[in-house]
Amino acid sequence: MSAEFSSLVEAHYGGLFRFAVSLARDEAAAADLTQQTFLKWARHGDQLRDRTKAKTWLFTTLHREFLATRRKVREQADESELDSIPAPQIEVGNKIDAKAAVAALSDLDETYRAPVAMFYLEDLSYAEIAESLDIPIGTVMSRLSRGRERLRKILSPASELHE
Amino acid sequence: MSNPEPNLSDGRPPLDELDLLIRQAVRAIEPPPNLYGKILAAAAESGSAAAVEAEGKLSWWSSLAAAGARLFGTARGAFDDFRVEVATVRTPQLVAARLKLDLRSAELSQLVDWLDQARAPRPDGSGFRPEGNFGPVGCKTFQWHGQRFSVICFYDHGKRGVHLFSINGRSLHHPPPEGTPQWLTLGGLPTASWSHGGTSFVLVAGGPGMNLGEYF
């Protein structure tokens, strides 16, 4: 393990954890996903020639890990059980809208959840999201547009109370 | 509020007030405080397992030498790994009082003498100057890759702490250079690393935001 590795962890583990929470709806599962992602980097990261793509590589890997885990869970449980997973109960600094925002983000359809989470959490561009999720840029734009619209509809009444 | 049309020129949709509120809210989630250390520890463990696996493919002579090094406690670890160990594992354990000090004393000379008798590395001539209200509270010895290392803990009337780790520089791959400290924040804790007279030192702040440069 090198100083480069610890610096990479320090720079991205927070963002990856937040992305994982939005996908997995569970803090413990999110921590596992984050750890698993960095373990993959420790084993295979040296194969990435363009080091400026490290962040994209990490988000792509975490998303794939999530989908693989999700697939296994689906094989073992029926959909009604999956739908009953509670929204995350997370201790947050911002008491105004944080819990509601995370719960709403987590409740988005899986199709929209990852691109919307990447947009709000990491400020990634259309191109970066497309690369991370391995989907066309036009698909990213439409999913982001619809996903944001749904999220904003859910959160608008709450936010207007504070305006 | 309506959803603004995507702006293709900058490759991102424009943000309005509600977007900023949502962004601020979702970014307020904090990862568990021990996650950073757990990731580094898991990676180190994974690296050790890979090294053992690779060792199985070495020549019989290399394998014998590696086994001998482990047996006689002369295996050398990388300084980077040592620094990660003391900053993200040992210091949080000391701060949380999960480790018991071997000797408690407010006399630095007494702690140094005790470490000398224990044949553990000690911070003679380290260049670290605990000024102001900082004073020693105790010391402890550890093992790492078969090598002993020590720590002396200093506190500011029990409020802020700094922890000075000492290890034989010859037991490390790539020890820090003699003289001017190298600065690095690990797990949110500022560290300073340097060598002097064959001993390598890592000074770790007990909390974030401390300026360790004041102590040199």
Side-chain angles (χ1 to χ4, degrees):
Chain A
M1 193 168 44
S2 65
E4 185 200 3
F5 179 77
S6 41
S7 299
L8 188 81
V9 176
E10 187 145 23
H12 297 302
Y13 84 105
L16 283 167
F17 173 77
R18 285 184 270 274
F19 180 51
V21 168
S22 71
L23 296 174
R25 307 177 176 187
D26 176 82
E27 211 172 340
D32 287 346
L33 277 170
T34 308
Q35 184 170 311
Q36 195 60 29
T37 301
F38 280 111
L39 282 180
K40 287 223 163 189
W41 173 271
R43 287 174 195 145
H44 309 295
D46 57 347
Q47 294 168 9
L48 185 70
R49 287 185 181 177
D50 184 354
R51 310 305 270 184
T52 62
K53 301 273 186 186
K55 181 178 175 180
T56 308
W57 189 98
L58 290 168
F59 277 84
T60 303
T61 303
L62 190 144
H63 187 240
R64 286 180 183 162
E65 285 289 306
F66 164 73
L67 292 176
T69 309
R70 180 84 170 167
R71 208 173 300 124
K72 284 180 195 163
V73 172
R74 278 184 196 279
E75 285 167 7
Q76 294 164 7
D78 64 38
E79 285 300 308
S80 59
E81 285 176 20
L82 292 174
D83 290 342
S84 67
I85 294 173
Q89 297 297 310
I90 300 156
E91 290 297 324
V92 289
N94 182 351
K95 291 177 182 173
I96 301 172
D97 279 315
K99 280 187 178 180
V102 172
L105 183 57
S106 303
D107 277 345
L108 284 180
D109 187 280
E110 245 181 65
T111 309
Y112 307 119
R113 206 186 307 159
V116 172
M118 284 179 165
F119 168 68
Y120 281 115
L121 289 170
E122 293 297 318
D123 194 24
L124 296 185
S125 67
Y126 292 127
E128 288 168 323
I129 295 172
E131 192 178 347
S132 295
L133 300 179
D134 197 20
I135 52 178
I137 198 164
T139 309
V140 170
M141 291 169 72
S142 62
R143 287 184 186 178
L144 200 49
S145 174
R146 286 179 198 157
R148 284 175 67 212
E149 196 175 342
R150 291 181 189 202
L151 190 66
R152 295 163 62 90
K153 269 183 189 167
I154 299 168
L155 294 172
S156 285
S159 65
E160 281 164 8
L161 290 175
H162 301 288
E163 285 177 356
Chain B
M1 268 182 270
S2 64
N3 195 359
E5 286 301 310
N7 179 355
L8 292 176
S9 60
D10 68 355
R12 288 173 175 80
L15 294 167
D16 65 12
E17 198 179 342
L18 180 56
D19 283 317
L20 292 172
L21 275 173
I22 295 170
R23 172 164 290 178
Q24 186 186 13
V26 295
R27 287 183 180 183
I29 305 165
E30 287 296 333
N34 60 350
L35 180 59
Y36 176 81
K38 281 174 75 176
I39 291 168
L40 295 184
E45 200 172 303
S46 167
S48 302
V52 168
E53 195 177 316
E55 196 175 280
K57 296 169 187 166
L58 296 175
S59 68
W60 67 271
W61 171 247
S62 301
S63 300
L64 188 65
R70 281 199 300 275
L71 185 63
F72 295 107
T74 55
R76 294 201 297 170
F79 171 72
D80 283 346
D81 291 351
F82 175 72
R83 181 166 52 185
V84 166
E85 163 97 9
V86 299
T88 67
V89 180
R90 298 306 180 181
T91 299
Q93 287 175 334
L94 289 164
V95 170
R98 290 202 301 271
L99 291 177
K100 191 179 173 187
L101 295 171
D102 294 335
L103 177 67
R104 297 191 74 91
S105 172
E107 292 294 327
L108 185 59
S109 59
Q110 194 178 358
L111 296 170
V112 170
D113 286 347
W114 186 88
L115 290 172
D116 193 27
Q117 286 170 17
R119 297 188 177 185
R122 57 193 195 281
D124 281 347
S126 67
F128 167 63
R129 293 195 307 273
E131 291 183 343
N133 294 321
F134 269 90
V137 295
C139 66
K140 183 170 180 61
T141 64
F142 305 86
Q143 290 274 343
W144 185 75
H145 282 247
Q147 301 291 336
R148 297 194 83 183
F149 70 97
S150 68
V151 63
I152 296 183
C153 304
F154 298 81
Y155 273 86
D156 175 9
H157 292 315
K159 295 174 188 170
R160 297 180 306 161
V162 291
H163 307 271
L164 179 60
F165 293 88
S166 306
I167 189 168
N168 184 343
R170 285 181 289 276
S171 66
L172 299 169
H173 284 295
H174 311 299
E178 298 261 335
T180 310
Q182 296 176 334
W183 312 98
L184 182 70
T185 298
L186 286 167
L189 301 180
T191 71
S193 314
W194 72 103
S195 295
H196 177 81
T199 304
S200 295
F201 304 101
V202 184
L203 182 67
V204 187
M210 289 178 69
N211 177 15
L212 295 181
E214 293 174 4
Y215 308 115
F216 293 90

